[in-house]
Amino acid sequence: MKQIDPLQLLAEAKKAAKRAYAPYSKYRVGAALLTANGTIFQGCNVENASYGLTVCAERIALFSAIAAGHKKFKALAIVASGRKAPSPCGACRQVFAEFCQPGFPVYFATKNNLRKFRSMPLSKLLPATFKL
């Protein structure tokens, strides 16, 4: 299993943010998801004129990994173009809770300062997950 290198994961998320389709908000987000076997999947936000159809970078990375056959994950990094480090929306938090353990680490940074990242376990991001 590959060790978690937050800065490498954040650098991959920054690359993904450059590919974001954000003509309405201009808020570019990239995500990098590390699988249990060391593969990194990237995602970027894709906006739509009908805002409700916009898809977040985090879910694109996760769904790409799942479509490729992965179901075990080690960490997620998120980078955005804003002034503050991004945090996943509620929908992304709940989707990650479906596949990841409570201690799953999430790293956040702005594109201009990857070294000043924050880290938080999924259990703190979503303390009361919905489960069936």
Side-chain angles (χ1 to χ4, degrees):
M1 246 191 238
K2 187 174 185 175
Q3 292 292 76
I4 298 170
D5 178 353
L7 289 176
Q8 178 195 4
L9 213 51
L10 288 160
E12 292 296 319
K14 181 178 178 177
K15 288 180 199 172
K18 291 177 182 174
R19 296 188 296 273
Y21 178 73
Y24 308 106
S25 73
K26 310 290 189 247
Y27 188 68
R28 302 169 81 75
V29 182
L33 177 64
L34 179 63
T35 67
N37 78 350
T39 304
I40 295 174
F41 283 85
Q42 295 176 324
C44 61
N45 58 318
V46 179
E47 293 181 349
N48 187 276
S50 174
Y51 285 136
L53 299 178
T54 293
V55 182
C56 301
E58 301 93 309
R59 281 181 281 155
I60 288 178
L62 179 65
F63 296 161
S64 295
I66 291 167
H70 298 271
K71 297 228 173 40
K72 294 186 181 192
F73 307 102
K74 289 186 72 174
L76 174 69
I78 309 164
V79 171
S81 59
R83 294 179 192 209
K84 291 173 65 177
S87 181
C89 74
C92 286
R93 293 173 193 210
Q94 182 61 47
V95 169
F96 271 87
E98 182 80 16
F99 294 94
C100 303
Q101 296 299 313
F104 176 81
V106 181
Y107 303 100
F108 320 83
T110 63
K111 70 174 184 155
N112 295 327
N113 200 348
L114 298 185
R115 292 195 174 279
K116 200 172 183 180
F117 67 86
R118 293 183 314 152
S119 176
M120 194 174 295
L122 184 59
S123 62
K124 258 191 142 174
L125 285 169
L126 188 63
T129 61
F130 176 79
K131 298 276 186 190
L132 289 178

